[in-house]
Each structure stands twice: as C-alpha cells, then as structure tokens.
Amino acid sequence: PSEVKFDGYRVMVRMEKGRATIITRGGHDWSAKMPVLVKAIEKLGVKQAWLDGEIVVLDDKGVPSFNALQKAFDHSVLNADIVLFLFDVPFFEGYDLREAQLIHRRQLLEALLQEKASEHVRYSAAFEADPASILMSACRMNLEGVIAKRSDAPYVSRRTETWLKLKCQQRQEFVVCGYT
C-alpha cells in the first residue's frame, strides 16, 4: 500500500494508564508544546500503547504546511491547528505487535480510529494502486510525495527497505565555497 508523505514531524505517542506522551524521533518529550493534541489523543480511550504517526498543520487547501507547523509551536492559538496522522501501532493494550504484518497492525489502528478519530487525531489512509499513479496524483495535489510500504513487513525502529519514500520534488543540498 502507499500513503501520503506528510510534510511534518514524525512522532511516537506513548500511552500509559490512558495518559499520552508525544515523543520526537530524537527522544524529546513535546507533550507540553501540544496540550490540545495530547487531550485529543487521550480521548481515544487507549490505556497502554505506542502509536506511530506524523504531526502536521494543514493549510486552507488541506495540504500539510511545514512552515505553518513551525509557527504553531510559537503561538498557543495556532497550536490548536496541529493534527496527528497515525499510520502504525507497534504496541497495543499489552500486546507487542512488532512482528505482526503491517496490514494487520493498520487494520487494528483503522478500527480504533474509525469510531474515535477527531479533527486532531486521524488515520493515515493507504491506497491500493500502482505507486507511480498515486505519486502523480500526490504531486498534482501539491503534496510532498508518498510512502510505499510492504504490507507483510514487521515493525522496525530504524530506516528500512520495506518503506520507500517517493518524492514529488527531487532536491539535493550542497555547499559552494571558494577563495581569491
């Protein structure tokens, strides 16, 4: 399946005794930066889990805006615009799901969010089609790209070949220097 590649920050949500903690890939606790989102996550009613997703701010066309996300951290009013798109669940209510196939973990997550999704916590939908045509559609919608994932893959906490980033704009950064 392929999913939208969001232009945001990847985060993990730790649910412990029904309380949510939002943790960055670098291991920093950002819960205090997003109190509205923390409350929305806690309304899911999950007691113990790890949820994997990406936080974004959507512009007026519904497209993730990285610039708007950065501004949201600086303004408490804009902070309420932060949305968490969840795409995986490696641990859930006492069960270690890391060895389960991605398709089964996503079915569990989708079932949870089908009833309890909100404007702040959403399911990251997958599309079953040719990745090239999905990428073309994503580019026409001004999205960053798509992530193609192997449906039978286990969960791993590192970069892996089972997830492929397909970006709309290819770019490289380099340094130009000289002297006289």
Side-chain angles (χ1 to χ4, degrees), residues 6-13 22-24 30 33-34 37 41 52-58 64-66 69-70 72-73 79 81-87 120:
F6 296 105
D7 196 7
Y9 287 121
R10 174 104 175 259
V11 296
M12 294 290 293
V13 175
I22 300 171
I23 303 168
T24 67
W30 277 10
K33 293 183 177 195
M34 298 173 274
L37 183 57
I41 296 166
D52 197 349
E54 187 138 350
I55 54 172
V56 301
V57 170
L58 302 173
S65 167
F66 190 74
L69 178 61
Q70 289 178 314
F73 289 124
N79 188 274
D81 294 337
I82 296 175
V83 178
L84 171 63
F85 281 93
L86 292 171
F87 47 75
H120 294 290

PDB file of all heavy atoms in Angstrom, residues 6-13 22-24 30 33-34 37 41 52-58 64-66 69-70 72-73 79 81-87 120:
ATOM      1  N   PHE A   6       3.656  13.051   4.487  1.00  0.00           N
ATOM      2  CA  PHE A   6       3.306  14.328   5.089  1.00  0.00           C
ATOM      3  C   PHE A   6       4.543  15.192   5.258  1.00  0.00           C
ATOM      4  O   PHE A   6       5.627  14.701   5.486  1.00  0.00           O
ATOM      5  CB  PHE A   6       2.646  14.113   6.454  1.00  0.00           C
ATOM      6  CG  PHE A   6       1.338  13.380   6.363  1.00  0.00           C
ATOM      7  CD1 PHE A   6       1.246  12.054   6.736  1.00  0.00           C
ATOM      8  CD2 PHE A   6       0.207  14.014   5.903  1.00  0.00           C
ATOM      9  CE1 PHE A   6       0.043  11.373   6.663  1.00  0.00           C
ATOM     10  CE2 PHE A   6      -1.002  13.347   5.817  1.00  0.00           C
ATOM     11  CZ  PHE A   6      -1.081  12.021   6.202  1.00  0.00           C
ATOM     12  N   ASP A   7       4.348  16.488   5.185  1.00  0.00           N
ATOM     13  CA  ASP A   7       5.435  17.440   5.400  1.00  0.00           C
ATOM     14  C   ASP A   7       5.310  17.940   6.839  1.00  0.00           C
ATOM     15  O   ASP A   7       4.770  18.998   7.099  1.00  0.00           O
ATOM     16  CB  ASP A   7       5.331  18.600   4.405  1.00  0.00           C
ATOM     17  CG  ASP A   7       6.617  19.399   4.312  1.00  0.00           C
ATOM     18  OD1 ASP A   7       7.626  18.979   4.908  1.00  0.00           O
ATOM     19  OD2 ASP A   7       6.606  20.449   3.653  1.00  0.00           O
ATOM     20  N   GLY A   8       5.771  17.107   7.788  1.00  0.00           N
ATOM     21  CA  GLY A   8       5.635  17.432   9.198  1.00  0.00           C
ATOM     22  C   GLY A   8       6.743  16.810  10.009  1.00  0.00           C
ATOM     23  O   GLY A   8       7.837  16.574   9.504  1.00  0.00           O
ATOM     24  N   TYR A   9       6.444  16.532  11.281  1.00  0.00           N
ATOM     25  CA  TYR A   9       7.394  15.883  12.186  1.00  0.00           C
ATOM     26  C   TYR A   9       6.882  14.497  12.538  1.00  0.00           C
ATOM     27  O   TYR A   9       5.745  14.336  12.972  1.00  0.00           O
ATOM     28  CB  TYR A   9       7.540  16.654  13.495  1.00  0.00           C
ATOM     29  CG  TYR A   9       8.311  17.942  13.425  1.00  0.00           C
ATOM     30  CD1 TYR A   9       7.715  19.144  13.797  1.00  0.00           C
ATOM     31  CD2 TYR A   9       9.639  17.970  13.015  1.00  0.00           C
ATOM     32  CE1 TYR A   9       8.411  20.331  13.759  1.00  0.00           C
ATOM     33  CE2 TYR A   9      10.342  19.161  12.971  1.00  0.00           C
ATOM     34  CZ  TYR A   9       9.729  20.334  13.346  1.00  0.00           C
ATOM     35  OH  TYR A   9      10.425  21.508  13.307  1.00  0.00           O
ATOM     36  N   ARG A  10       7.746  13.505  12.398  1.00  0.00           N
ATOM     37  CA  ARG A  10       7.414  12.144  12.814  1.00  0.00           C
ATOM     38  C   ARG A  10       7.489  12.081  14.333  1.00  0.00           C
ATOM     39  O   ARG A  10       8.439  12.567  14.939  1.00  0.00           O
ATOM     40  CB  ARG A  10       8.405  11.179  12.179  1.00  0.00           C
ATOM     41  CG  ARG A  10       8.268   9.746  12.630  1.00  0.00           C
ATOM     42  CD  ARG A  10       7.590   8.910  11.574  1.00  0.00           C
ATOM     43  NE  ARG A  10       7.556   7.510  11.961  1.00  0.00           N
ATOM     44  CZ  ARG A  10       8.388   6.597  11.495  1.00  0.00           C
ATOM     45  NH1 ARG A  10       9.323   6.909  10.632  1.00  0.00           N
ATOM     46  NH2 ARG A  10       8.272   5.340  11.884  1.00  0.00           N
ATOM     47  N   VAL A  11       6.486  11.489  14.952  1.00  0.00           N
ATOM     48  CA  VAL A  11       6.449  11.356  16.404  1.00  0.00           C
ATOM     49  C   VAL A  11       5.929   9.968  16.794  1.00  0.00           C
ATOM     50  O   VAL A  11       5.272   9.295  16.004  1.00  0.00           O
ATOM     51  CB  VAL A  11       5.561  12.424  17.080  1.00  0.00           C
ATOM     52  CG1 VAL A  11       6.112  13.821  16.878  1.00  0.00           C
ATOM     53  CG2 VAL A  11       4.119  12.334  16.630  1.00  0.00           C
ATOM     54  N   MET A  12       6.234   9.593  18.021  1.00  0.00           N
ATOM     55  CA  MET A  12       5.654   8.407  18.645  1.00  0.00           C
ATOM     56  C   MET A  12       4.814   8.907  19.808  1.00  0.00           C
ATOM     57  O   MET A  12       5.200   9.855  20.494  1.00  0.00           O
ATOM     58  CB  MET A  12       6.733   7.466  19.176  1.00  0.00           C
ATOM     59  CG  MET A  12       7.607   6.825  18.118  1.00  0.00           C
ATOM     60  SD  MET A  12       6.746   5.604  17.113  1.00  0.00           S
ATOM     61  CE  MET A  12       6.419   4.316  18.300  1.00  0.00           C
ATOM     62  N   VAL A  13       3.680   8.270  20.016  1.00  0.00           N
ATOM     63  CA  VAL A  13       2.841   8.599  21.155  1.00  0.00           C
ATOM     64  C   VAL A  13       2.870   7.398  22.096  1.00  0.00           C
ATOM     65  O   VAL A  13       2.548   6.277  21.686  1.00  0.00           O
ATOM     66  CB  VAL A  13       1.388   8.896  20.733  1.00  0.00           C
ATOM     67  CG1 VAL A  13       0.521   9.106  21.964  1.00  0.00           C
ATOM     68  CG2 VAL A  13       1.336  10.093  19.812  1.00  0.00           C
ATOM     69  N   ILE A  22       3.901  12.665  23.873  1.00  0.00           N
ATOM     70  CA  ILE A  22       4.324  12.782  22.473  1.00  0.00           C
ATOM     71  C   ILE A  22       5.847  12.892  22.458  1.00  0.00           C
ATOM     72  O   ILE A  22       6.418  13.804  23.065  1.00  0.00           O
ATOM     73  CB  ILE A  22       3.675  14.002  21.803  1.00  0.00           C
ATOM     74  CG1 ILE A  22       2.152  13.865  21.840  1.00  0.00           C
ATOM     75  CG2 ILE A  22       4.190  14.154  20.373  1.00  0.00           C
ATOM     76  CD1 ILE A  22       1.407  15.110  21.390  1.00  0.00           C
ATOM     77  N   ILE A  23       6.492  11.950  21.760  1.00  0.00           N
ATOM     78  CA  ILE A  23       7.946  11.861  21.758  1.00  0.00           C
ATOM     79  C   ILE A  23       8.472  11.993  20.333  1.00  0.00           C
ATOM     80  O   ILE A  23       7.995  11.314  19.424  1.00  0.00           O
ATOM     81  CB  ILE A  23       8.403  10.521  22.368  1.00  0.00           C
ATOM     82  CG1 ILE A  23       7.834  10.395  23.791  1.00  0.00           C
ATOM     83  CG2 ILE A  23       9.923  10.402  22.374  1.00  0.00           C
ATOM     84  CD1 ILE A  23       7.957   9.022  24.390  1.00  0.00           C
ATOM     85  N   THR A  24       9.488  12.845  20.146  1.00  0.00           N
ATOM     86  CA  THR A  24      10.093  13.039  18.826  1.00  0.00           C
ATOM     87  C   THR A  24      11.032  11.884  18.498  1.00  0.00           C
ATOM     88  O   THR A  24      11.381  11.081  19.369  1.00  0.00           O
ATOM     89  CB  THR A  24      10.910  14.344  18.783  1.00  0.00           C
ATOM     90  OG1 THR A  24      12.041  14.203  19.651  1.00  0.00           O
ATOM     91  CG2 THR A  24      10.073  15.541  19.181  1.00  0.00           C
ATOM     92  N   TRP A  30       7.545  16.284  23.684  1.00  0.00           N
ATOM     93  CA  TRP A  30       6.941  17.513  23.184  1.00  0.00           C
ATOM     94  C   TRP A  30       5.501  17.675  23.652  1.00  0.00           C
ATOM     95  O   TRP A  30       4.763  18.506  23.139  1.00  0.00           O
ATOM     96  CB  TRP A  30       6.985  17.531  21.656  1.00  0.00           C
ATOM     97  CG  TRP A  30       8.285  18.005  21.092  1.00  0.00           C
ATOM     98  CD1 TRP A  30       9.454  18.233  21.757  1.00  0.00           C
ATOM     99  CD2 TRP A  30       8.541  18.323  19.724  1.00  0.00           C
ATOM    100  NE1 TRP A  30      10.421  18.658  20.879  1.00  0.00           N
ATOM    101  CE2 TRP A  30       9.885  18.721  19.629  1.00  0.00           C
ATOM    102  CE3 TRP A  30       7.768  18.306  18.576  1.00  0.00           C
ATOM    103  CZ2 TRP A  30      10.471  19.097  18.430  1.00  0.00           C
ATOM    104  CZ3 TRP A  30       8.347  18.674  17.377  1.00  0.00           C
ATOM    105  CH2 TRP A  30       9.691  19.073  17.313  1.00  0.00           C
ATOM    106  N   LYS A  33       4.292  21.129  24.477  1.00  0.00           N
ATOM    107  CA  LYS A  33       4.158  22.025  23.325  1.00  0.00           C
ATOM    108  C   LYS A  33       2.816  21.880  22.628  1.00  0.00           C
ATOM    109  O   LYS A  33       2.429  22.741  21.848  1.00  0.00           O
ATOM    110  CB  LYS A  33       5.264  21.749  22.293  1.00  0.00           C
ATOM    111  CG  LYS A  33       6.646  22.092  22.752  1.00  0.00           C
ATOM    112  CD  LYS A  33       7.637  21.841  21.626  1.00  0.00           C
ATOM    113  CE  LYS A  33       9.034  22.257  22.029  1.00  0.00           C
ATOM    114  NZ  LYS A  33       9.938  22.356  20.882  1.00  0.00           N
ATOM    115  N   MET A  34       2.105  20.758  22.883  1.00  0.00           N
ATOM    116  CA  MET A  34       0.867  20.466  22.161  1.00  0.00           C
ATOM    117  C   MET A  34      -0.230  19.978  23.101  1.00  0.00           C
ATOM    118  O   MET A  34      -0.729  18.865  22.965  1.00  0.00           O
ATOM    119  CB  MET A  34       1.149  19.420  21.083  1.00  0.00           C
ATOM    120  CG  MET A  34       2.142  19.872  20.036  1.00  0.00           C
ATOM    121  SD  MET A  34       2.626  18.562  18.897  1.00  0.00           S
ATOM    122  CE  MET A  34       3.959  17.800  19.804  1.00  0.00           C
ATOM    123  N   LEU A  37      -3.485  18.653  21.428  1.00  0.00           N
ATOM    124  CA  LEU A  37      -3.307  17.351  20.793  1.00  0.00           C
ATOM    125  C   LEU A  37      -3.243  16.242  21.840  1.00  0.00           C
ATOM    126  O   LEU A  37      -3.830  15.174  21.657  1.00  0.00           O
ATOM    127  CB  LEU A  37      -2.056  17.346  19.914  1.00  0.00           C
ATOM    128  CG  LEU A  37      -1.793  16.067  19.132  1.00  0.00           C
ATOM    129  CD1 LEU A  37      -2.979  15.705  18.243  1.00  0.00           C
ATOM    130  CD2 LEU A  37      -0.529  16.212  18.296  1.00  0.00           C
ATOM    131  N   ILE A  41      -5.672  12.966  21.895  1.00  0.00           N
ATOM    132  CA  ILE A  41      -5.174  11.587  21.868  1.00  0.00           C
ATOM    133  C   ILE A  41      -5.740  10.799  23.042  1.00  0.00           C
ATOM    134  O   ILE A  41      -6.149   9.643  22.893  1.00  0.00           O
ATOM    135  CB  ILE A  41      -3.626  11.569  21.888  1.00  0.00           C
ATOM    136  CG1 ILE A  41      -3.056  12.209  20.625  1.00  0.00           C
ATOM    137  CG2 ILE A  41      -3.109  10.140  22.037  1.00  0.00           C
ATOM    138  CD1 ILE A  41      -1.575  12.536  20.701  1.00  0.00           C
ATOM    139  N   ASP A  52       2.437   5.322  16.191  1.00  0.00           N
ATOM    140  CA  ASP A  52       3.417   5.952  15.308  1.00  0.00           C
ATOM    141  C   ASP A  52       2.681   6.844  14.321  1.00  0.00           C
ATOM    142  O   ASP A  52       1.688   6.423  13.718  1.00  0.00           O
ATOM    143  CB  ASP A  52       4.182   4.860  14.555  1.00  0.00           C
ATOM    144  CG  ASP A  52       5.474   5.339  13.924  1.00  0.00           C
ATOM    145  OD1 ASP A  52       5.719   6.562  13.875  1.00  0.00           O
ATOM    146  OD2 ASP A  52       6.250   4.481  13.459  1.00  0.00           O
ATOM    147  N   GLY A  53       3.161   8.070  14.166  1.00  0.00           N
ATOM    148  CA  GLY A  53       2.489   8.971  13.248  1.00  0.00           C
ATOM    149  C   GLY A  53       3.297  10.205  12.929  1.00  0.00           C
ATOM    150  O   GLY A  53       4.500  10.278  13.191  1.00  0.00           O
ATOM    151  N   GLU A  54       2.623  11.177  12.358  1.00  0.00           N
ATOM    152  CA  GLU A  54       3.262  12.427  11.963  1.00  0.00           C
ATOM    153  C   GLU A  54       2.336  13.586  12.293  1.00  0.00           C
ATOM    154  O   GLU A  54       1.142  13.528  12.039  1.00  0.00           O
ATOM    155  CB  GLU A  54       3.555  12.410  10.458  1.00  0.00           C
ATOM    156  CG  GLU A  54       4.361  13.591  10.001  1.00  0.00           C
ATOM    157  CD  GLU A  54       5.447  13.225   9.005  1.00  0.00           C
ATOM    158  OE1 GLU A  54       5.712  12.032   8.793  1.00  0.00           O
ATOM    159  OE2 GLU A  54       6.031  14.156   8.440  1.00  0.00           O
ATOM    160  N   ILE A  55       2.940  14.630  12.905  1.00  0.00           N
ATOM    161  CA  ILE A  55       2.156  15.823  13.212  1.00  0.00           C
ATOM    162  C   ILE A  55       2.326  16.823  12.077  1.00  0.00           C
ATOM    163  O   ILE A  55       3.421  16.995  11.537  1.00  0.00           O
ATOM    164  CB  ILE A  55       2.537  16.460  14.567  1.00  0.00           C
ATOM    165  CG1 ILE A  55       4.031  16.741  14.659  1.00  0.00           C
ATOM    166  CG2 ILE A  55       2.045  15.611  15.714  1.00  0.00           C
ATOM    167  CD1 ILE A  55       4.439  17.534  15.881  1.00  0.00           C
ATOM    168  N   VAL A  56       1.218  17.464  11.717  1.00  0.00           N
ATOM    169  CA  VAL A  56       1.208  18.432  10.620  1.00  0.00           C
ATOM    170  C   VAL A  56       0.234  19.559  10.955  1.00  0.00           C
ATOM    171  O   VAL A  56      -0.583  19.440  11.863  1.00  0.00           O
ATOM    172  CB  VAL A  56       0.777  17.791   9.275  1.00  0.00           C
ATOM    173  CG1 VAL A  56       1.691  16.652   8.869  1.00  0.00           C
ATOM    174  CG2 VAL A  56      -0.655  17.328   9.320  1.00  0.00           C
ATOM    175  N   VAL A  57       0.336  20.628  10.190  1.00  0.00           N
ATOM    176  CA  VAL A  57      -0.692  21.658  10.157  1.00  0.00           C
ATOM    177  C   VAL A  57      -1.130  21.745   8.705  1.00  0.00           C
ATOM    178  O   VAL A  57      -0.293  21.850   7.798  1.00  0.00           O
ATOM    179  CB  VAL A  57      -0.178  23.024  10.670  1.00  0.00           C
ATOM    180  CG1 VAL A  57      -1.195  24.117  10.405  1.00  0.00           C
ATOM    181  CG2 VAL A  57       0.133  22.946  12.164  1.00  0.00           C
ATOM    182  N   LEU A  58      -2.438  21.672   8.483  1.00  0.00           N
ATOM    183  CA  LEU A  58      -2.979  21.710   7.127  1.00  0.00           C
ATOM    184  C   LEU A  58      -3.300  23.148   6.740  1.00  0.00           C
ATOM    185  O   LEU A  58      -3.826  23.912   7.543  1.00  0.00           O
ATOM    186  CB  LEU A  58      -4.245  20.854   7.049  1.00  0.00           C
ATOM    187  CG  LEU A  58      -4.054  19.383   7.447  1.00  0.00           C
ATOM    188  CD1 LEU A  58      -5.397  18.678   7.498  1.00  0.00           C
ATOM    189  CD2 LEU A  58      -3.101  18.676   6.509  1.00  0.00           C
ATOM    190  N   PRO A  64      -0.572  19.638   3.932  1.00  0.00           N
ATOM    191  CA  PRO A  64       0.342  19.900   5.042  1.00  0.00           C
ATOM    192  C   PRO A  64       1.327  21.025   4.717  1.00  0.00           C
ATOM    193  O   PRO A  64       1.892  21.078   3.630  1.00  0.00           O
ATOM    194  CB  PRO A  64       1.088  18.576   5.222  1.00  0.00           C
ATOM    195  CG  PRO A  64       0.164  17.555   4.648  1.00  0.00           C
ATOM    196  CD  PRO A  64      -0.523  18.237   3.502  1.00  0.00           C
ATOM    197  N   SER A  65       1.514  21.927   5.690  1.00  0.00           N
ATOM    198  CA  SER A  65       2.439  23.053   5.532  1.00  0.00           C
ATOM    199  C   SER A  65       3.456  23.004   6.656  1.00  0.00           C
ATOM    200  O   SER A  65       3.119  23.233   7.821  1.00  0.00           O
ATOM    201  CB  SER A  65       1.667  24.376   5.579  1.00  0.00           C
ATOM    202  OG  SER A  65       2.575  25.459   5.717  1.00  0.00           O
ATOM    203  N   PHE A  66       4.713  22.721   6.315  1.00  0.00           N
ATOM    204  CA  PHE A  66       5.770  22.646   7.320  1.00  0.00           C
ATOM    205  C   PHE A  66       5.987  24.004   7.973  1.00  0.00           C
ATOM    206  O   PHE A  66       6.187  24.096   9.184  1.00  0.00           O
ATOM    207  CB  PHE A  66       7.072  22.134   6.684  1.00  0.00           C
ATOM    208  CG  PHE A  66       8.124  21.796   7.693  1.00  0.00           C
ATOM    209  CD1 PHE A  66       8.021  20.645   8.461  1.00  0.00           C
ATOM    210  CD2 PHE A  66       9.220  22.617   7.899  1.00  0.00           C
ATOM    211  CE1 PHE A  66       8.977  20.324   9.408  1.00  0.00           C
ATOM    212  CE2 PHE A  66      10.180  22.316   8.842  1.00  0.00           C
ATOM    213  CZ  PHE A  66      10.056  21.158   9.593  1.00  0.00           C
ATOM    214  N   LEU A  69       3.405  24.541  10.548  1.00  0.00           N
ATOM    215  CA  LEU A  69       3.668  23.707  11.718  1.00  0.00           C
ATOM    216  C   LEU A  69       4.695  24.375  12.632  1.00  0.00           C
ATOM    217  O   LEU A  69       4.512  24.428  13.847  1.00  0.00           O
ATOM    218  CB  LEU A  69       4.149  22.321  11.290  1.00  0.00           C
ATOM    219  CG  LEU A  69       4.518  21.358  12.418  1.00  0.00           C
ATOM    220  CD1 LEU A  69       3.316  21.076  13.329  1.00  0.00           C
ATOM    221  CD2 LEU A  69       5.066  20.061  11.842  1.00  0.00           C
ATOM    222  N   GLN A  70       5.759  24.902  12.044  1.00  0.00           N
ATOM    223  CA  GLN A  70       6.772  25.578  12.852  1.00  0.00           C
ATOM    224  C   GLN A  70       6.182  26.791  13.569  1.00  0.00           C
ATOM    225  O   GLN A  70       6.482  27.031  14.734  1.00  0.00           O
ATOM    226  CB  GLN A  70       7.953  25.990  11.979  1.00  0.00           C
ATOM    227  CG  GLN A  70       8.769  24.794  11.519  1.00  0.00           C
ATOM    228  CD  GLN A  70       9.914  25.184  10.614  1.00  0.00           C
ATOM    229  OE1 GLN A  70       9.746  25.969   9.692  1.00  0.00           O
ATOM    230  NE2 GLN A  70      11.085  24.636  10.898  1.00  0.00           N
ATOM    231  N   ALA A  72       3.123  27.109  14.499  1.00  0.00           N
ATOM    232  CA  ALA A  72       2.175  26.641  15.507  1.00  0.00           C
ATOM    233  C   ALA A  72       2.847  26.414  16.857  1.00  0.00           C
ATOM    234  O   ALA A  72       2.216  26.584  17.900  1.00  0.00           O
ATOM    235  CB  ALA A  72       1.493  25.361  15.039  1.00  0.00           C
ATOM    236  N   PHE A  73       4.125  26.053  16.845  1.00  0.00           N
ATOM    237  CA  PHE A  73       4.831  25.848  18.110  1.00  0.00           C
ATOM    238  C   PHE A  73       5.091  27.166  18.830  1.00  0.00           C
ATOM    239  O   PHE A  73       5.258  27.197  20.039  1.00  0.00           O
ATOM    240  CB  PHE A  73       6.155  25.119  17.886  1.00  0.00           C
ATOM    241  CG  PHE A  73       5.976  23.673  17.520  1.00  0.00           C
ATOM    242  CD1 PHE A  73       6.532  23.174  16.359  1.00  0.00           C
ATOM    243  CD2 PHE A  73       5.246  22.814  18.325  1.00  0.00           C
ATOM    244  CE1 PHE A  73       6.368  21.844  16.015  1.00  0.00           C
ATOM    245  CE2 PHE A  73       5.072  21.488  17.984  1.00  0.00           C
ATOM    246  CZ  PHE A  73       5.640  21.001  16.831  1.00  0.00           C
ATOM    247  N   ASN A  79      -1.391  26.531  17.873  1.00  0.00           N
ATOM    248  CA  ASN A  79      -1.099  25.190  18.359  1.00  0.00           C
ATOM    249  C   ASN A  79      -2.306  24.276  18.221  1.00  0.00           C
ATOM    250  O   ASN A  79      -2.178  23.079  18.014  1.00  0.00           O
ATOM    251  CB  ASN A  79      -0.645  25.294  19.825  1.00  0.00           C
ATOM    252  CG  ASN A  79      -0.132  24.003  20.368  1.00  0.00           C
ATOM    253  OD1 ASN A  79      -0.917  23.198  20.838  1.00  0.00           O
ATOM    254  ND2 ASN A  79       1.162  23.815  20.290  1.00  0.00           N
ATOM    255  N   ASP A  81      -4.146  24.013  15.800  1.00  0.00           N
ATOM    256  CA  ASP A  81      -4.267  23.558  14.413  1.00  0.00           C
ATOM    257  C   ASP A  81      -3.476  22.279  14.137  1.00  0.00           C
ATOM    258  O   ASP A  81      -3.568  21.723  13.043  1.00  0.00           O
ATOM    259  CB  ASP A  81      -3.777  24.645  13.450  1.00  0.00           C
ATOM    260  CG  ASP A  81      -4.657  25.886  13.468  1.00  0.00           C
ATOM    261  OD1 ASP A  81      -5.838  25.773  13.854  1.00  0.00           O
ATOM    262  OD2 ASP A  81      -4.155  26.964  13.099  1.00  0.00           O
ATOM    263  N   ILE A  82      -2.687  21.817  15.080  1.00  0.00           N
ATOM    264  CA  ILE A  82      -1.839  20.640  14.860  1.00  0.00           C
ATOM    265  C   ILE A  82      -2.695  19.383  14.780  1.00  0.00           C
ATOM    266  O   ILE A  82      -3.561  19.148  15.615  1.00  0.00           O
ATOM    267  CB  ILE A  82      -0.761  20.516  15.956  1.00  0.00           C
ATOM    268  CG1 ILE A  82       0.190  21.715  15.887  1.00  0.00           C
ATOM    269  CG2 ILE A  82       0.007  19.206  15.805  1.00  0.00           C
ATOM    270  CD1 ILE A  82       1.221  21.768  17.001  1.00  0.00           C
ATOM    271  N   VAL A  83      -2.421  18.575  13.755  1.00  0.00           N
ATOM    272  CA  VAL A  83      -3.135  17.321  13.511  1.00  0.00           C
ATOM    273  C   VAL A  83      -2.124  16.185  13.550  1.00  0.00           C
ATOM    274  O   VAL A  83      -1.025  16.309  13.011  1.00  0.00           O
ATOM    275  CB  VAL A  83      -3.829  17.347  12.129  1.00  0.00           C
ATOM    276  CG1 VAL A  83      -4.519  16.025  11.845  1.00  0.00           C
ATOM    277  CG2 VAL A  83      -4.809  18.499  12.044  1.00  0.00           C
ATOM    278  N   LEU A  84      -2.503  15.081  14.177  1.00  0.00           N
ATOM    279  CA  LEU A  84      -1.672  13.876  14.200  1.00  0.00           C
ATOM    280  C   LEU A  84      -2.288  12.847  13.268  1.00  0.00           C
ATOM    281  O   LEU A  84      -3.441  12.443  13.463  1.00  0.00           O
ATOM    282  CB  LEU A  84      -1.592  13.310  15.622  1.00  0.00           C
ATOM    283  CG  LEU A  84      -0.946  11.934  15.771  1.00  0.00           C
ATOM    284  CD1 LEU A  84       0.525  11.962  15.348  1.00  0.00           C
ATOM    285  CD2 LEU A  84      -1.083  11.435  17.197  1.00  0.00           C
ATOM    286  N   PHE A  85      -1.544  12.454  12.239  1.00  0.00           N
ATOM    287  CA  PHE A  85      -1.964  11.370  11.361  1.00  0.00           C
ATOM    288  C   PHE A  85      -1.240  10.110  11.825  1.00  0.00           C
ATOM    289  O   PHE A  85      -0.011  10.056  11.803  1.00  0.00           O
ATOM    290  CB  PHE A  85      -1.612  11.668   9.896  1.00  0.00           C
ATOM    291  CG  PHE A  85      -2.563  12.612   9.240  1.00  0.00           C
ATOM    292  CD1 PHE A  85      -2.307  13.982   9.230  1.00  0.00           C
ATOM    293  CD2 PHE A  85      -3.716  12.150   8.637  1.00  0.00           C
ATOM    294  CE1 PHE A  85      -3.181  14.863   8.623  1.00  0.00           C
ATOM    295  CE2 PHE A  85      -4.600  13.029   8.027  1.00  0.00           C
ATOM    296  CZ  PHE A  85      -4.331  14.387   8.015  1.00  0.00           C
ATOM    297  N   LEU A  86      -1.995   9.110  12.268  1.00  0.00           N
ATOM    298  CA  LEU A  86      -1.415   7.858  12.749  1.00  0.00           C
ATOM    299  C   LEU A  86      -1.347   6.839  11.623  1.00  0.00           C
ATOM    300  O   LEU A  86      -2.292   6.689  10.854  1.00  0.00           O
ATOM    301  CB  LEU A  86      -2.246   7.309  13.905  1.00  0.00           C
ATOM    302  CG  LEU A  86      -2.200   8.141  15.190  1.00  0.00           C
ATOM    303  CD1 LEU A  86      -3.228   7.628  16.193  1.00  0.00           C
ATOM    304  CD2 LEU A  86      -0.808   8.144  15.784  1.00  0.00           C
ATOM    305  N   PHE A  87      -0.200   6.136  11.547  1.00  0.00           N
ATOM    306  CA  PHE A  87      -0.068   5.131  10.498  1.00  0.00           C
ATOM    307  C   PHE A  87       0.412   3.774  10.987  1.00  0.00           C
ATOM    308  O   PHE A  87       0.474   2.826  10.209  1.00  0.00           O
ATOM    309  CB  PHE A  87       0.831   5.625   9.351  1.00  0.00           C
ATOM    310  CG  PHE A  87       2.125   6.251   9.763  1.00  0.00           C
ATOM    311  CD1 PHE A  87       3.182   5.500  10.201  1.00  0.00           C
ATOM    312  CD2 PHE A  87       2.276   7.621   9.686  1.00  0.00           C
ATOM    313  CE1 PHE A  87       4.378   6.097  10.568  1.00  0.00           C
ATOM    314  CE2 PHE A  87       3.462   8.235  10.038  1.00  0.00           C
ATOM    315  CZ  PHE A  87       4.521   7.451  10.493  1.00  0.00           C
ATOM    316  N   HIS A 120      -8.239  16.409  15.327  1.00  0.00           N
ATOM    317  CA  HIS A 120      -6.825  16.461  15.701  1.00  0.00           C
ATOM    318  C   HIS A 120      -6.103  15.130  15.581  1.00  0.00           C
ATOM    319  O   HIS A 120      -4.883  15.098  15.504  1.00  0.00           O
ATOM    320  CB  HIS A 120      -6.678  16.972  17.131  1.00  0.00           C
ATOM    321  CG  HIS A 120      -7.106  18.394  17.291  1.00  0.00           C
ATOM    322  ND1 HIS A 120      -6.400  19.444  16.768  1.00  0.00           N
ATOM    323  CD2 HIS A 120      -8.189  18.932  17.899  1.00  0.00           C
ATOM    324  CE1 HIS A 120      -7.021  20.572  17.053  1.00  0.00           C
ATOM    325  NE2 HIS A 120      -8.118  20.287  17.726  1.00  0.00           N
TER     326      HIS A 120
END
